[in-house]
Amino acid sequence: MSKLNRIAFIALILTAAAASQALAHAHLKTSSPAEKASVVSPGELDLTFTEELNLKFSGVKVTDPDKKEITLGDAALKDDDKVLAVPISGTLAPGNYTVDWHVLSTDGHKTSGIYTFTVKP
């Protein structure tokens, strides 16, 4: 490989690495309860992301089968600020629940999403 080709190849690798960092966002990696899971009434939602979060600009809304918002406790970060932990106040009645989340990663990127889980009788 010629010197010019090596330089071009290294430049290409560095450009690709910089572009992948620029496109990085905090994506939901796992959740508890998990998407489409059937569970007993959970005491907390734990949403694990691929990047560290900014708690001040991150949050969750949970709605019940009648589309009424569920009362939640104050969210907190754990596990290197990649897990958004949100306590659930009280026991959830059986039915389908929707989790609507939004987060801001510490690098300034916003992401959001929605998933559902079922509380079994």
PDB file of all heavy atoms in Angstrom, residues 83-110:
ATOM      1  N   VAL A  83     -29.003   4.666  33.800  1.00  0.00           N
ATOM      2  CA  VAL A  83     -30.303   4.073  34.130  1.00  0.00           C
ATOM      3  C   VAL A  83     -31.183   5.145  34.761  1.00  0.00           C
ATOM      4  O   VAL A  83     -30.821   5.756  35.763  1.00  0.00           O
ATOM      5  CB  VAL A  83     -30.163   2.883  35.097  1.00  0.00           C
ATOM      6  CG1 VAL A  83     -31.532   2.346  35.494  1.00  0.00           C
ATOM      7  CG2 VAL A  83     -29.320   1.785  34.463  1.00  0.00           C
ATOM      8  N   LEU A  84     -32.331   5.379  34.134  1.00  0.00           N
ATOM      9  CA  LEU A  84     -33.330   6.291  34.668  1.00  0.00           C
ATOM     10  C   LEU A  84     -34.297   5.450  35.497  1.00  0.00           C
ATOM     11  O   LEU A  84     -35.007   4.601  34.959  1.00  0.00           O
ATOM     12  CB  LEU A  84     -34.056   7.000  33.528  1.00  0.00           C
ATOM     13  CG  LEU A  84     -35.091   8.045  33.905  1.00  0.00           C
ATOM     14  CD1 LEU A  84     -34.426   9.216  34.639  1.00  0.00           C
ATOM     15  CD2 LEU A  84     -35.809   8.555  32.666  1.00  0.00           C
ATOM     16  N   ALA A  85     -34.267   5.651  36.814  1.00  0.00           N
ATOM     17  CA  ALA A  85     -35.108   4.897  37.743  1.00  0.00           C
ATOM     18  C   ALA A  85     -36.256   5.786  38.198  1.00  0.00           C
ATOM     19  O   ALA A  85     -36.024   6.885  38.703  1.00  0.00           O
ATOM     20  CB  ALA A  85     -34.286   4.431  38.932  1.00  0.00           C
ATOM     21  N   VAL A  86     -37.482   5.305  37.998  1.00  0.00           N
ATOM     22  CA  VAL A  86     -38.666   6.094  38.328  1.00  0.00           C
ATOM     23  C   VAL A  86     -39.597   5.264  39.208  1.00  0.00           C
ATOM     24  O   VAL A  86     -40.174   4.271  38.750  1.00  0.00           O
ATOM     25  CB  VAL A  86     -39.411   6.526  37.046  1.00  0.00           C
ATOM     26  CG1 VAL A  86     -40.580   7.435  37.382  1.00  0.00           C
ATOM     27  CG2 VAL A  86     -38.462   7.202  36.060  1.00  0.00           C
ATOM     28  N   PRO A  87     -39.762   5.658  40.482  1.00  0.00           N
ATOM     29  CA  PRO A  87     -40.666   4.917  41.369  1.00  0.00           C
ATOM     30  C   PRO A  87     -42.126   5.088  40.932  1.00  0.00           C
ATOM     31  O   PRO A  87     -42.522   6.150  40.459  1.00  0.00           O
ATOM     32  CB  PRO A  87     -40.453   5.573  42.733  1.00  0.00           C
ATOM     33  CG  PRO A  87     -39.247   6.430  42.612  1.00  0.00           C
ATOM     34  CD  PRO A  87     -39.071   6.739  41.165  1.00  0.00           C
ATOM     35  N   ILE A  88     -42.897   4.030  41.116  1.00  0.00           N
ATOM     36  CA  ILE A  88     -44.335   4.071  40.833  1.00  0.00           C
ATOM     37  C   ILE A  88     -45.061   4.145  42.165  1.00  0.00           C
ATOM     38  O   ILE A  88     -44.850   3.299  43.035  1.00  0.00           O
ATOM     39  CB  ILE A  88     -44.785   2.832  40.034  1.00  0.00           C
ATOM     40  CG1 ILE A  88     -44.074   2.806  38.675  1.00  0.00           C
ATOM     41  CG2 ILE A  88     -46.292   2.814  39.874  1.00  0.00           C
ATOM     42  CD1 ILE A  88     -44.337   1.567  37.863  1.00  0.00           C
ATOM     43  N   SER A  89     -45.886   5.167  42.307  1.00  0.00           N
ATOM     44  CA  SER A  89     -46.637   5.353  43.552  1.00  0.00           C
ATOM     45  C   SER A  89     -47.868   4.455  43.542  1.00  0.00           C
ATOM     46  O   SER A  89     -48.716   4.575  42.664  1.00  0.00           O
ATOM     47  CB  SER A  89     -47.067   6.818  43.701  1.00  0.00           C
ATOM     48  OG  SER A  89     -45.943   7.658  43.675  1.00  0.00           O
ATOM     49  N   GLY A  90     -47.939   3.552  44.478  1.00  0.00           N
ATOM     50  CA  GLY A  90     -49.111   2.682  44.586  1.00  0.00           C
ATOM     51  C   GLY A  90     -49.017   1.458  43.714  1.00  0.00           C
ATOM     52  O   GLY A  90     -48.032   1.209  43.017  1.00  0.00           O
ATOM     53  N   THR A  91     -50.080   0.679  43.759  1.00  0.00           N
ATOM     54  CA  THR A  91     -50.178  -0.563  43.001  1.00  0.00           C
ATOM     55  C   THR A  91     -50.969  -0.320  41.729  1.00  0.00           C
ATOM     56  O   THR A  91     -52.027   0.314  41.764  1.00  0.00           O
ATOM     57  CB  THR A  91     -50.889  -1.646  43.851  1.00  0.00           C
ATOM     58  OG1 THR A  91     -50.145  -1.830  45.055  1.00  0.00           O
ATOM     59  CG2 THR A  91     -50.974  -2.957  43.105  1.00  0.00           C
ATOM     60  N   LEU A  92     -50.465  -0.827  40.609  1.00  0.00           N
ATOM     61  CA  LEU A  92     -51.163  -0.681  39.341  1.00  0.00           C
ATOM     62  C   LEU A  92     -52.206  -1.782  39.184  1.00  0.00           C
ATOM     63  O   LEU A  92     -51.939  -2.947  39.468  1.00  0.00           O
ATOM     64  CB  LEU A  92     -50.168  -0.750  38.182  1.00  0.00           C
ATOM     65  CG  LEU A  92     -49.056   0.301  38.166  1.00  0.00           C
ATOM     66  CD1 LEU A  92     -48.150   0.082  36.952  1.00  0.00           C
ATOM     67  CD2 LEU A  92     -49.618   1.700  38.166  1.00  0.00           C
ATOM     68  N   ALA A  93     -53.378  -1.385  38.730  1.00  0.00           N
ATOM     69  CA  ALA A  93     -54.451  -2.346  38.459  1.00  0.00           C
ATOM     70  C   ALA A  93     -54.102  -3.151  37.208  1.00  0.00           C
ATOM     71  O   ALA A  93     -53.317  -2.703  36.372  1.00  0.00           O
ATOM     72  CB  ALA A  93     -55.764  -1.595  38.254  1.00  0.00           C
ATOM     73  N   PRO A  94     -54.666  -4.339  37.071  1.00  0.00           N
ATOM     74  CA  PRO A  94     -54.415  -5.125  35.859  1.00  0.00           C
ATOM     75  C   PRO A  94     -54.814  -4.352  34.600  1.00  0.00           C
ATOM     76  O   PRO A  94     -55.779  -3.589  34.607  1.00  0.00           O
ATOM     77  CB  PRO A  94     -55.314  -6.354  36.040  1.00  0.00           C
ATOM     78  CG  PRO A  94     -55.468  -6.477  37.523  1.00  0.00           C
ATOM     79  CD  PRO A  94     -55.503  -5.056  38.024  1.00  0.00           C
ATOM     80  N   GLY A  95     -54.029  -4.532  33.555  1.00  0.00           N
ATOM     81  CA  GLY A  95     -54.316  -3.878  32.283  1.00  0.00           C
ATOM     82  C   GLY A  95     -53.041  -3.482  31.561  1.00  0.00           C
ATOM     83  O   GLY A  95     -51.930  -3.765  32.009  1.00  0.00           O
ATOM     84  N   ASN A  96     -53.221  -2.820  30.425  1.00  0.00           N
ATOM     85  CA  ASN A  96     -52.102  -2.398  29.588  1.00  0.00           C
ATOM     86  C   ASN A  96     -51.692  -0.970  29.939  1.00  0.00           C
ATOM     87  O   ASN A  96     -52.536  -0.084  30.033  1.00  0.00           O
ATOM     88  CB  ASN A  96     -52.490  -2.463  28.112  1.00  0.00           C
ATOM     89  CG  ASN A  96     -52.759  -3.873  27.657  1.00  0.00           C
ATOM     90  OD1 ASN A  96     -52.060  -4.797  28.048  1.00  0.00           O
ATOM     91  ND2 ASN A  96     -53.784  -4.043  26.834  1.00  0.00           N
ATOM     92  N   TYR A  97     -50.384  -0.758  30.087  1.00  0.00           N
ATOM     93  CA  TYR A  97     -49.838   0.541  30.442  1.00  0.00           C
ATOM     94  C   TYR A  97     -48.873   1.002  29.359  1.00  0.00           C
ATOM     95  O   TYR A  97     -48.174   0.186  28.747  1.00  0.00           O
ATOM     96  CB  TYR A  97     -49.123   0.474  31.796  1.00  0.00           C
ATOM     97  CG  TYR A  97     -50.110   0.309  32.922  1.00  0.00           C
ATOM     98  CD1 TYR A  97     -50.635  -0.943  33.238  1.00  0.00           C
ATOM     99  CD2 TYR A  97     -50.562   1.411  33.636  1.00  0.00           C
ATOM    100  CE1 TYR A  97     -51.572  -1.099  34.244  1.00  0.00           C
ATOM    101  CE2 TYR A  97     -51.492   1.272  34.647  1.00  0.00           C
ATOM    102  CZ  TYR A  97     -51.998   0.023  34.944  1.00  0.00           C
ATOM    103  OH  TYR A  97     -52.935  -0.117  35.931  1.00  0.00           O
ATOM    104  N   THR A  98     -48.861   2.306  29.142  1.00  0.00           N
ATOM    105  CA  THR A  98     -47.971   2.904  28.148  1.00  0.00           C
ATOM    106  C   THR A  98     -46.928   3.752  28.848  1.00  0.00           C
ATOM    107  O   THR A  98     -47.261   4.577  29.703  1.00  0.00           O
ATOM    108  CB  THR A  98     -48.776   3.777  27.163  1.00  0.00           C
ATOM    109  OG1 THR A  98     -49.759   2.963  26.529  1.00  0.00           O
ATOM    110  CG2 THR A  98     -47.870   4.398  26.114  1.00  0.00           C
ATOM    111  N   VAL A  99     -45.671   3.539  28.491  1.00  0.00           N
ATOM    112  CA  VAL A  99     -44.544   4.306  29.023  1.00  0.00           C
ATOM    113  C   VAL A  99     -44.068   5.236  27.909  1.00  0.00           C
ATOM    114  O   VAL A  99     -43.661   4.776  26.845  1.00  0.00           O
ATOM    115  CB  VAL A  99     -43.388   3.380  29.476  1.00  0.00           C
ATOM    116  CG1 VAL A  99     -42.204   4.203  29.967  1.00  0.00           C
ATOM    117  CG2 VAL A  99     -43.869   2.398  30.530  1.00  0.00           C
ATOM    118  N   ASP A 100     -44.137   6.532  28.156  1.00  0.00           N
ATOM    119  CA  ASP A 100     -43.719   7.557  27.205  1.00  0.00           C
ATOM    120  C   ASP A 100     -42.503   8.254  27.818  1.00  0.00           C
ATOM    121  O   ASP A 100     -42.646   8.982  28.793  1.00  0.00           O
ATOM    122  CB  ASP A 100     -44.869   8.530  26.979  1.00  0.00           C
ATOM    123  CG  ASP A 100     -44.597   9.551  25.898  1.00  0.00           C
ATOM    124  OD1 ASP A 100     -43.465   9.624  25.394  1.00  0.00           O
ATOM    125  OD2 ASP A 100     -45.532  10.299  25.565  1.00  0.00           O
ATOM    126  N   TRP A 101     -41.314   8.020  27.279  1.00  0.00           N
ATOM    127  CA  TRP A 101     -40.088   8.552  27.873  1.00  0.00           C
ATOM    128  C   TRP A 101     -39.400   9.544  26.950  1.00  0.00           C
ATOM    129  O   TRP A 101     -39.562   9.499  25.731  1.00  0.00           O
ATOM    130  CB  TRP A 101     -39.116   7.420  28.245  1.00  0.00           C
ATOM    131  CG  TRP A 101     -38.719   6.546  27.092  1.00  0.00           C
ATOM    132  CD1 TRP A 101     -39.304   5.374  26.699  1.00  0.00           C
ATOM    133  CD2 TRP A 101     -37.650   6.779  26.164  1.00  0.00           C
ATOM    134  NE1 TRP A 101     -38.671   4.863  25.599  1.00  0.00           N
ATOM    135  CE2 TRP A 101     -37.651   5.706  25.247  1.00  0.00           C
ATOM    136  CE3 TRP A 101     -36.695   7.777  26.018  1.00  0.00           C
ATOM    137  CZ2 TRP A 101     -36.733   5.611  24.204  1.00  0.00           C
ATOM    138  CZ3 TRP A 101     -35.775   7.690  24.977  1.00  0.00           C
ATOM    139  CH2 TRP A 101     -35.809   6.612  24.088  1.00  0.00           C
ATOM    140  N   HIS A 102     -38.653  10.444  27.567  1.00  0.00           N
ATOM    141  CA  HIS A 102     -37.793  11.372  26.822  1.00  0.00           C
ATOM    142  C   HIS A 102     -36.533  11.592  27.649  1.00  0.00           C
ATOM    143  O   HIS A 102     -36.604  11.660  28.880  1.00  0.00           O
ATOM    144  CB  HIS A 102     -38.497  12.703  26.544  1.00  0.00           C
ATOM    145  CG  HIS A 102     -38.796  13.473  27.791  1.00  0.00           C
ATOM    146  ND1 HIS A 102     -39.895  13.213  28.575  1.00  0.00           N
ATOM    147  CD2 HIS A 102     -38.118  14.464  28.410  1.00  0.00           C
ATOM    148  CE1 HIS A 102     -39.893  14.026  29.621  1.00  0.00           C
ATOM    149  NE2 HIS A 102     -38.816  14.802  29.555  1.00  0.00           N
ATOM    150  N   VAL A 103     -35.395  11.633  26.986  1.00  0.00           N
ATOM    151  CA  VAL A 103     -34.132  11.833  27.695  1.00  0.00           C
ATOM    152  C   VAL A 103     -33.238  12.785  26.920  1.00  0.00           C
ATOM    153  O   VAL A 103     -33.368  12.948  25.707  1.00  0.00           O
ATOM    154  CB  VAL A 103     -33.381  10.504  27.939  1.00  0.00           C
ATOM    155  CG1 VAL A 103     -34.185   9.573  28.839  1.00  0.00           C
ATOM    156  CG2 VAL A 103     -33.016   9.803  26.649  1.00  0.00           C
ATOM    157  N   LEU A 104     -32.334  13.387  27.672  1.00  0.00           N
ATOM    158  CA  LEU A 104     -31.262  14.193  27.098  1.00  0.00           C
ATOM    159  C   LEU A 104     -29.960  13.568  27.562  1.00  0.00           C
ATOM    160  O   LEU A 104     -29.737  13.431  28.767  1.00  0.00           O
ATOM    161  CB  LEU A 104     -31.348  15.650  27.575  1.00  0.00           C
ATOM    162  CG  LEU A 104     -30.242  16.574  27.085  1.00  0.00           C
ATOM    163  CD1 LEU A 104     -30.393  16.851  25.586  1.00  0.00           C
ATOM    164  CD2 LEU A 104     -30.264  17.883  27.853  1.00  0.00           C
ATOM    165  N   SER A 105     -29.135  13.157  26.603  1.00  0.00           N
ATOM    166  CA  SER A 105     -27.846  12.585  26.989  1.00  0.00           C
ATOM    167  C   SER A 105     -26.904  13.712  27.385  1.00  0.00           C
ATOM    168  O   SER A 105     -27.120  14.875  27.043  1.00  0.00           O
ATOM    169  CB  SER A 105     -27.254  11.754  25.843  1.00  0.00           C
ATOM    170  OG  SER A 105     -27.041  12.547  24.703  1.00  0.00           O
ATOM    171  N   THR A 106     -25.860  13.380  28.112  1.00  0.00           N
ATOM    172  CA  THR A 106     -24.930  14.409  28.586  1.00  0.00           C
ATOM    173  C   THR A 106     -24.192  15.091  27.439  1.00  0.00           C
ATOM    174  O   THR A 106     -23.640  16.170  27.628  1.00  0.00           O
ATOM    175  CB  THR A 106     -23.911  13.832  29.594  1.00  0.00           C
ATOM    176  OG1 THR A 106     -23.239  12.728  28.987  1.00  0.00           O
ATOM    177  CG2 THR A 106     -24.597  13.397  30.870  1.00  0.00           C
ATOM    178  N   ASP A 107     -24.213  14.482  26.246  1.00  0.00           N
ATOM    179  CA  ASP A 107     -23.578  15.151  25.100  1.00  0.00           C
ATOM    180  C   ASP A 107     -24.561  16.064  24.365  1.00  0.00           C
ATOM    181  O   ASP A 107     -24.236  16.635  23.340  1.00  0.00           O
ATOM    182  CB  ASP A 107     -22.941  14.141  24.148  1.00  0.00           C
ATOM    183  CG  ASP A 107     -23.943  13.225  23.477  1.00  0.00           C
ATOM    184  OD1 ASP A 107     -25.161  13.380  23.698  1.00  0.00           O
ATOM    185  OD2 ASP A 107     -23.513  12.337  22.718  1.00  0.00           O
ATOM    186  N   GLY A 108     -25.785  16.188  24.899  1.00  0.00           N
ATOM    187  CA  GLY A 108     -26.744  17.155  24.358  1.00  0.00           C
ATOM    188  C   GLY A 108     -27.745  16.632  23.349  1.00  0.00           C
ATOM    189  O   GLY A 108     -28.526  17.405  22.802  1.00  0.00           O
ATOM    190  N   HIS A 109     -27.781  15.333  23.110  1.00  0.00           N
ATOM    191  CA  HIS A 109     -28.741  14.781  22.152  1.00  0.00           C
ATOM    192  C   HIS A 109     -30.020  14.340  22.847  1.00  0.00           C
ATOM    193  O   HIS A 109     -29.978  13.695  23.890  1.00  0.00           O
ATOM    194  CB  HIS A 109     -28.126  13.584  21.412  1.00  0.00           C
ATOM    195  CG  HIS A 109     -27.018  13.968  20.502  1.00  0.00           C
ATOM    196  ND1 HIS A 109     -25.716  13.614  20.739  1.00  0.00           N
ATOM    197  CD2 HIS A 109     -27.007  14.699  19.370  1.00  0.00           C
ATOM    198  CE1 HIS A 109     -24.949  14.098  19.775  1.00  0.00           C
ATOM    199  NE2 HIS A 109     -25.710  14.765  18.940  1.00  0.00           N
ATOM    200  N   LYS A 110     -31.159  14.661  22.246  1.00  0.00           N
ATOM    201  CA  LYS A 110     -32.469  14.270  22.784  1.00  0.00           C
ATOM    202  C   LYS A 110     -32.974  13.041  22.045  1.00  0.00           C
ATOM    203  O   LYS A 110     -32.823  12.924  20.835  1.00  0.00           O
ATOM    204  CB  LYS A 110     -33.487  15.391  22.574  1.00  0.00           C
ATOM    205  CG  LYS A 110     -33.174  16.658  23.289  1.00  0.00           C
ATOM    206  CD  LYS A 110     -34.214  17.715  22.942  1.00  0.00           C
ATOM    207  CE  LYS A 110     -33.862  19.048  23.546  1.00  0.00           C
ATOM    208  NZ  LYS A 110     -34.841  20.081  23.184  1.00  0.00           N
TER     209      LYS A 110
END
